[in-house]
């Protein structure tokens, strides 16, 4: 079966375009996790045809060129998988795992409460403090809206769901989402009154 080289090429081009050295420095974890996912895709290809190899070479060379930045998170030698054949044979590659980013709704709530208390006292920075609360609420809302998706595809862990059994996760995630939406609504109400 032939690989969908058009799609593979588009993914590689988009990866390289999205991850310039400046962006990689700002988002090493995103770069690593996206590289991890694309490497998994290349690894699972059934066919290593001659057309696919140059796309892989372009992709892996981009990672190798920026490998120094990754050393904080992984000591894996990406040079050891310079070809699709070496990727397939690599036993070390199989030990690579994504980097999970923890997020705590409780911590964010506490931070918002602290900033709100400052808002009552520090009048000269009122606009900046309100902007900071709005930013935190936007981020908080993003995590609510994409809770399951973030856990499944974006490698986030949520402190509030750490001890939940996998068979119970959907139900608990829905309960958490409902609870946290109330928090956002109450803060949006407070901010419009302030």
């Amino acid at each position: 079966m032939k690989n969908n080289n058009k799609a593979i090429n588009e993914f590689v081009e988009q990866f390289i375009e999205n991850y310039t050295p400046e962006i990689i420095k700002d988002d090493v974890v995103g770069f690593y996790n996206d590289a991890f996912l694309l490497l998994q895709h290349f690894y699972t290809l059934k066919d290593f045809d001659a057309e696919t190899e140059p796309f892989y070479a372009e992709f892996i060379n981009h990672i190798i060129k920026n490998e120094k930045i990754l050393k904080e998170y992984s000591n894996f030698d990406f040079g050891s998988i310079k070809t699709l054949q070496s990727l397939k044979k690599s036993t070390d590659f199989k030990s690579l795992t994504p980097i999970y980013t923890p997020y705590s709704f409780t911590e964010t709530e506490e931070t918002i409460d602290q900033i709100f208390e400052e808002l009552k006292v520090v009048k000269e920075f009122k606009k900046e403090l309100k902007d900071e609360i709005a930013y935190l609420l936007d981020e908080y809302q993003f995590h609510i809206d994409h809770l399951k998706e973030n856990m499944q595809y974006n490698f986030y862990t949520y402190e509030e769901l750490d001890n939940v059994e996998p068979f119970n996760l959907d139900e608990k995630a829905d309960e958490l989402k409902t609870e946290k939406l109330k928090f956002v609504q109450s803060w949006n109400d407070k901010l419009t009154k302030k």
Side-chain angles (χ1 to χ4, degrees):
M1 187 168 141
K2 200 160 169 63
N3 295 321
N4 185 348
N5 285 320
K6 186 175 190 273
I8 292 170
N9 185 36
E10 286 173 7
F11 277 122
V12 169
E13 284 178 355
Q14 186 176 15
F15 178 82
I16 292 169
E17 187 178 302
N18 289 343
Y19 286 110
T20 62
E22 298 78 35
I23 292 172
I24 294 169
K25 285 176 190 160
D26 288 344
D27 188 12
V28 179
V29 172
F31 174 67
Y32 174 88
N33 284 338
D34 284 350
F36 172 79
L37 287 174
L38 209 43
L39 279 168
Q40 294 294 325
H41 176 74
F42 276 112
Y43 182 78
T44 59
L45 289 176
K46 301 282 184 248
D47 229 359
F48 292 163
D49 60 41
E51 292 176 34
T52 307
E53 190 72 45
F55 303 135
Y56 178 76
E58 185 179 8
F59 165 70
I60 196 67
N61 286 330
H62 187 67
I63 295 171
I64 292 168
K65 189 168 62 176
N66 296 287
E67 190 171 13
K68 280 190 277 186
I69 298 168
L70 293 174
K71 289 299 178 195
E72 181 182 340
Y73 296 96
S74 174
N75 60 3
F76 182 76
D77 176 16
F78 289 94
S80 69
I81 54 172
K82 269 186 94 76
T83 66
L84 283 169
Q85 208 58 39
S86 60
L87 172 67
K88 198 66 164 178
K89 290 179 182 174
S90 175
T91 53
D92 292 336
F93 167 74
K94 293 174 189 165
S95 67
L96 280 181
T97 58
I99 299 169
Y100 289 90
T101 304
Y103 184 84
S104 170
F105 288 104
T106 306
E107 254 181 56
T108 305
E109 291 167 9
E110 290 168 358
T111 303
I112 290 171
D113 288 338
Q114 288 173 347
I115 294 171
F116 190 71
E117 289 305 312
E118 285 180 41
L119 194 59
K120 294 176 183 175
V121 179
V122 184
K123 300 294 183 199
E124 65 266 13
F125 297 112
K126 189 174 181 174
K127 183 189 177 333
E128 289 85 352
L129 292 172
K130 279 179 116 176
D131 287 347
E132 183 65 21
I133 290 173
Y135 171 80
L136 289 170
L137 285 172
D138 283 347
E139 180 183 53
Y140 191 95
Q141 183 73 51
F142 167 82
H143 283 281
I144 293 169
D145 293 344
H146 302 283
L147 189 66
K148 292 177 188 174
E149 177 186 327
N150 281 341
M151 289 188 297
Q152 190 171 5
Y153 302 112
N154 296 331
F155 308 114
Y156 277 95
T157 58
Y158 292 95
E159 184 180 278
E160 292 79 1
L161 298 171
D162 278 348
N163 297 320
V164 175
E165 297 295 328
F167 67 87
N168 220 1
L169 190 59
D170 277 349
E171 180 185 334
K172 293 298 180 189
D174 288 339
E175 288 172 13
L176 180 68
K177 187 175 184 174
T178 302
E179 174 191 330
K180 298 309 175 186
L181 282 171
K182 291 175 187 171
F183 175 82
V184 171
Q185 186 57 52
S186 73
W187 271 102
N188 285 332
D189 294 345
K190 280 183 187 179
L191 287 175
T192 42
K193 290 177 188 173
K194 227 20 187 152

